[in-house]
Amino acid sequence: MSHRRVAITGLGWVTSLGNSVPEVWDLLLAGTSGIKPISRFDITDYTTKFGGEISPWEGPPNLEPMERKRSTKKLDRFAQFAINATIDAVNDAGLDFEKENPWRCGSIIGSGVGGMEEFAEGHRKLLEKGPSRVSPFMVPKLMCNAAAGNVSIHYGIKGPNSAVATACASAGHAILEAADSIRHDAADIMIAGGSEAALTPLGTACFIALKALSKRNDDPTKASRPWDADRDGFVLAEGAGIIILEEMEHAKARGARIYGEMLGAGQSADGSHITAPLEDGAGAAYAMTAALKDAGKNPEDVSYINAHGTSTGLGDLAETHAVKNVFGNDTKVPVSSTKSMLGHSLGAAGGIEAVICAKAIETGVMPPTINLDNPGEGCDLDYIPHTAREADINAVMSNSFGFGGHNVSLLMGKV
């Protein structure tokens, strides 16, 4: 890296296993699934009846009661998740924005679909009651940039601020852009990650129509099965994952705890199909290779890959081919998919998984892939089945791939 170095100093998330990073981390290492029957809406007519639902949820618990009540009226669920995860990450970093130059602090948060629930509710009101009943809050609630915008308002920060919408690669791209803001001296501190709340009646129906979701209704905790021969689709989830990125010397000067360093990132497009990845994983491989080049690292420097690993036949094979293309056909690099426990939270996934990568670097433990009982044909990497594994972890790669053919890989390392 030829630019300013970027430290990771704070972590926060909202997941189906809980919101506390230390507590959820322990659950992940124990192989605990957060997948459960959907309780937020009537699922009678749905062929998939479960997901990675955040429940109970009555607004961001990190806000004071009155502010929390206002947030439920003025913020879509996805922006509420982002606010809550950000507060945890900022507190974890020990930041006081009153002491920082607000023009040097920013926020870039990704989301695949933004305020889908608000959009559906507004459309229902329009059809049933007419245009005069559409809420004035509808646009500011549903727009994809509502999470980043409300985070900047909450803290009064005025630096780089934007949203990224590249489907399931959104959070990865957001972190890449936030890191570049620091590397290129546009900011000293960036709030980065993703948030998503598409586990709604409309969102669930859309993915069922795509035939993308598992139908293992009799055993939801066993439904997300990356690389397993019995996988039958991914598990839709919701949540948020936020990390605090900070210029290295700025972080050291204030005595911040440093989880790790953002070493580099790479991105590419498949340029092939709107929903199916390239079978040989060439696009994903290019993103991984570009991340290594950006970081000045070699494949043998990577200790662990947190895979995109969604539990779909095409995606699991394509990522396996991509890893072999970059790391060699006989590679022994450990790989796991934490979506096996948390489900697939679309545009938030890369943020949640960046938190997991930072914890792996900090603790020297790699979380497992649960439900991997019989690897499918062609799935022959070291996927860390069932049980967490300790290792001397120096560098970790996080992969995120999205509909549209978007690919992004992040490389984080020990300081």
Side-chain angles (χ1 to χ4, degrees):
M1 180 184 295
S2 59
H3 303 279
R4 304 196 313 163
R5 296 172 66 190
V6 181
I8 303 168
T9 58
L11 311 175
W13 59 24
V14 173
T15 78
S16 56
L17 278 173
N19 305 333
S20 162
V21 170
E23 291 176 9
V24 174
W25 176 246
D26 288 343
L27 291 171
L28 290 173
L29 295 188
T32 309
S33 173
I35 308 306
K36 62 193 115 179
I38 294 170
S39 62
R40 295 191 61 238
F41 56 91
D42 183 359
I43 46 136
T44 302
D45 295 329
Y46 288 74
T47 54
T48 294
K49 304 178 186 295
F50 57 89
E53 181 181 274
I54 313 295
S55 57
W57 181 266
E58 297 177 352
N62 285 334
L63 297 179
E64 295 297 324
M66 285 302 295
E67 191 178 1
R68 185 186 314 149
K69 187 175 180 180
R70 282 196 293 271
S71 79
T72 60
K73 292 182 178 179
K74 295 184 177 180
L75 304 180
D76 183 86
R77 190 173 169 91
F78 95 102
Q80 294 176 36
F81 291 161
I83 288 284
N84 204 74
T86 297
I87 291 172
D88 274 343
V90 169
N91 290 342
D92 186 43
L95 280 169
D96 179 357
F97 283 113
E98 294 291 328
K99 299 178 180 177
E100 304 293 338
N101 178 349
W103 302 99
R104 300 287 299 174
C105 303
S107 173
I108 301 179
I109 298 175
S111 183
V113 295
M116 175 172 265
E117 190 162 71
E118 179 63 20
F119 186 92
E121 176 62 13
H123 189 241
R124 183 190 65 78
K125 286 184 179 177
L126 173 66
L127 296 180
E128 294 180 358
K129 301 179 180 180
S132 65
R133 299 300 297 274
V134 172
S135 169
F137 295 119
M138 185 171 173
V139 169
K141 286 178 72 174
L142 68 82
M143 58 191 192
C144 266
N145 56 319
N150 279 289
V151 163
S152 69
I153 293 166
H154 184 80
Y155 286 109
I157 55 178
K158 304 176 186 299
N161 189 284
S162 66
V164 180
T166 51
C168 306
S170 299
H173 277 119
I175 292 170
L176 182 160
E177 291 196 12
D180 278 351
S181 295
I182 294 174
R183 288 161 50 148
H184 299 154
D185 201 17
D188 296 320
I189 299 170
M190 291 296 297
I191 297 165
S195 190
E196 200 79 89
L199 193 63
T200 68
L202 178 60
T204 305
C206 286
F207 284 103
I208 288 175
L210 273 172
K211 303 185 186 306
L213 300 185
S214 168
K215 297 178 183 177
R216 194 180 286 259
N217 293 308
D218 59 337
D219 199 359
T221 63
K222 301 289 180 60
S224 185
R225 313 177 66 83
W227 306 296
D228 188 84
D230 294 327
R231 63 196 184 282
D232 68 334
F234 75 80
V235 175
L236 186 59
E238 54 184 358
I242 299 292
I243 63 175
I244 303 300
L245 300 179
E246 190 168 349
E247 194 277 326
M248 184 66 74
E249 297 308 314
H250 185 283
K252 289 180 178 177
R254 68 180 186 85
R257 173 178 56 182
I258 297 174
Y259 286 98
E261 179 175 0
M262 281 297 305
L263 299 172
Q267 58 179 317
S268 69
D270 280 353
S272 174
H273 192 278
I274 198 67
T275 58
L278 286 169
E279 292 185 15
D280 62 0
Y286 188 94
M288 286 189 264
T289 300
L292 289 167
K293 181 180 179 182
D294 187 38
K297 299 290 184 182
N298 297 309
E300 56 268 28
D301 296 322
V302 177
S303 312
Y304 164 58
I305 298 174
N306 187 284
H308 188 58
T310 60
S311 184
T312 63
L314 290 177
D316 286 0
L317 268 179
E319 188 170 14
T320 297
H321 291 149
V323 169
K324 289 183 177 181
N325 286 342
V326 177
F327 293 86
N329 285 329
D330 58 349
T331 180
K332 303 299 182 188
V333 62
V335 179
S336 74
S337 171
T338 38
K339 290 184 179 75
S340 61
M341 295 172 276
L342 296 172
H344 188 6
S345 54
L346 310 179
I352 290 171
E353 290 158 11
V355 173
I356 290 168
C357 290
K359 289 295 293 182
I361 293 168
E362 179 197 28
T363 62
V365 186
M366 301 172 286
T369 306
I370 66 168
N371 302 323
L372 180 51
D373 300 324
N374 301 296
E377 184 177 353
C379 298
D380 53 359
L381 298 175
D382 181 2
Y383 300 117
I384 316 181
H386 305 300
T387 305
R389 188 183 301 173
E390 295 185 8
D392 183 13
I393 297 176
N394 292 309
V396 172
M397 181 170 282
S398 176
N399 288 335
S400 295
F401 312 130
F403 281 174
H406 308 289
N407 308 299
V408 59
S409 295
L410 306 175
L411 195 64
M412 293 161 261
K414 186 183 294 184
V415 175

